[in-house]
Amino acid sequence: MYILNMLKRNSLLIALIIVMIGFELVIRCTGHGSLFSPQNFTNIIYQNSYVIILAVGMLFLIIGCGNIDLSVGSIVCLIGAVAGVMMVNNNCNIYMSMAVCLLLGMLIGAWHGFWIAYIRIPSFIVTLAGMLLFRGLSLIVLDGITINPFPDEYLDIFTSYFPAISPDVLADYAGKTFDEMTRAEVKAATYGIVFAKTMIVTVVIVAVYLIGIICGRVSKIKKGYEVEPMYAFLFKHVLILVAIVASSILLGQNKGIPVILVLIATVVLIYAFIANKTVVGRRIYALGGNEKAAKLSGVNTNRLLFLSYVNMGLLAAVAALVCVARFNSASPMAGTGYELDAIGSCFIGGASAYGGVGTVGGAVIGAVFMGVLNNGMSILGIDANIQKTVKGLVLLLAVVVDVMSKKRVSN
């Protein structure tokens, strides 16, 4: 019984592992390379960075009241357009431009939140109107043309790697001047330094993670809280640690740890803490579970709903800044379909369409699941229309499982 419950709790993670192994076998057997090649693994991180950021924001809307935001793709396009006009066309300071973009995202979220939380217009209508409104504004700002390239200083913020390798560092590693080094020696020195420093960072991360989970479990036991069985505890965390170490090895074999991965990890950790360890997080779950009961308990439900949309606007702005850096351009077509990827990631990750249920970790796994599907099918050369069909079926299956499990519990 315990084993069955453990498998149920970690079913999505197990499904992700099975899908990744399946794609790897098919890709290798068909001679298309490898899903786990260092370069492709880094590409998966870049390709899904915006999805993870948007999914975290979308999750708080879904668990808070079962709402969604259909306009996030258009917001990404508009914020990217504003960033392009400021940084490229007008040579504005990049940090001031980023601050303006983040503020604009929050204002857009406040616009949605006002109509939804206080006027009580259905979120579907408000965000659908926003999708059209902000896409139109994007076209006006861009005048229908693509703006590029962005300043190198800005691109380095989102597209650089750790550790950064300078010629002096390579020369010290090789024991000779940089001019004396051959191309092969430069490549070998770069690989050696990057891999070594990546592994050092990994050791630190693993140590901090182990200390955190052990202290957390001991604290719960001392306070008399119920804890999961040891084998379930070990199973889950061993899987996570193996994933961390394997990912680090692949990154170390390429260019190191992408800065965008650090940004994603920061966003995920902050919002996981908010959801699980703060009063605001508990109130959001209460709002999604039963809004009337939450209101009678003293929760200002209107303000909480309003702030959830402000937060969604903020994260959409962050995703926009990431996207324009990745593509090195602000395009009128940017953000197309992003809202569907974010919503799909949340539902695949276990969020309930009725609200009150979902985790940040589940949304991240759902986003990675969608990313692996996209990347694996692209490597295999599967037609784009078939890819959309598969993603649609996976999303439907995730919601069906959620609905059926709720019916089983109620019965």
Side-chain angles (χ1 to χ4, degrees), residues 78-149:
L78 176 59
I79 300 296
V82 172
V85 169
M86 293 187 68
M87 296 185 200
V88 181
N89 291 358
N90 296 305
N91 296 316
C92 294
N93 179 273
I94 63 169
Y95 298 104
M96 182 191 73
S97 301
M98 291 168 64
V100 170
C101 289
L102 294 176
L103 179 60
L104 178 58
M106 294 174 68
L107 290 174
I108 292 173
W111 167 264
H112 286 156
F114 170 75
W115 296 110
I116 295 169
Y118 294 106
I119 309 301
R120 287 293 168 172
I121 298 177
S123 63
F124 180 87
I125 300 300
V126 173
T127 59
L128 178 61
M131 180 175 69
L132 301 174
L133 170 63
F134 299 125
R135 180 66 64 175
L137 289 176
S138 303
L139 296 174
I140 293 172
V141 172
L142 291 172
D143 197 23
I145 62 174
T146 298
I147 298 177
N148 67 326

Side-chain angles (χ1 to χ4, degrees), residues 19 27 46 51 72 142 207 225 250 280 327 359 385:
V19 168
I27 290 170
Y46 275 107
V51 180
V72 292
L142 291 172
Y225 296 159
L250 291 175
V280 172
F327 296 115
T359 63
N385 296 321

Side-chain angles (χ1 to χ4, degrees), residues 349-368:
S352 172
Y354 302 102
V357 177
T359 63
V360 173
V364 172
I365 295 176
V368 174

Side-chain angles (χ1 to χ4, degrees), residues 200-273:
I200 291 173
V201 173
T202 303
V203 170
V204 174
I205 292 173
V206 169
V208 171
Y209 184 83
L210 287 173
I211 293 172
I213 61 174
I214 292 172
C215 291
R217 185 176 177 87
V218 171
S219 176
K220 287 182 179 180
I221 293 174
K222 284 184 177 180
K223 293 176 180 178
Y225 296 159
E226 183 179 356
V227 296
E228 58 188 341
M230 180 58 72
Y231 63 83
F233 175 81
L234 292 175
F235 174 80
K236 178 176 69 176
H237 293 294
V238 166
L239 278 182
I240 294 173
L241 288 172
V242 168
I244 291 173
V245 173
S247 300
S248 298
I249 292 173
L250 291 175
L251 293 174
Q253 292 175 341
N254 188 32
K255 297 179 181 179
I257 301 173
V259 172
I260 188 63
L261 181 60
V262 178
L263 172 62
I264 294 171
T266 302
V267 169
V268 170
L269 290 174
I270 290 174
Y271 282 90
F273 178 81

Side-chain angles (χ1 to χ4, degrees), residues 354-409:
Y354 302 102
V357 177
T359 63
V360 173
V364 172
I365 295 176
V368 174
F369 192 97
M370 293 277 282
V372 170
L373 280 179
N374 287 332
N375 188 264
M377 289 189 291
S378 296
I379 292 175
L380 292 172
I382 296 176
D383 183 77
N385 296 321
I386 298 178
Q387 292 187 34
K388 292 179 181 178
T389 302
V390 172
K391 289 165 63 177
L393 290 174
V394 169
L395 176 57
L396 177 61
L397 178 62
V399 177
V400 168
V401 169
D402 171 55
V403 172
M404 295 304 292
S405 64
K406 282 188 175 296
K407 286 184 177 180
R408 194 179 299 114
V409 170

Side-chain angles (χ1 to χ4, degrees), residues 42 46 152-164 255-262 325:
T42 303
Y46 275 107
D152 291 337
E153 185 183 1
Y154 173 75
L155 298 178
D156 288 342
I157 296 175
F158 296 102
T159 61
S160 57
Y161 295 82
F162 174 85
K255 297 179 181 179
I257 301 173
V259 172
I260 188 63
L261 181 60
V262 178

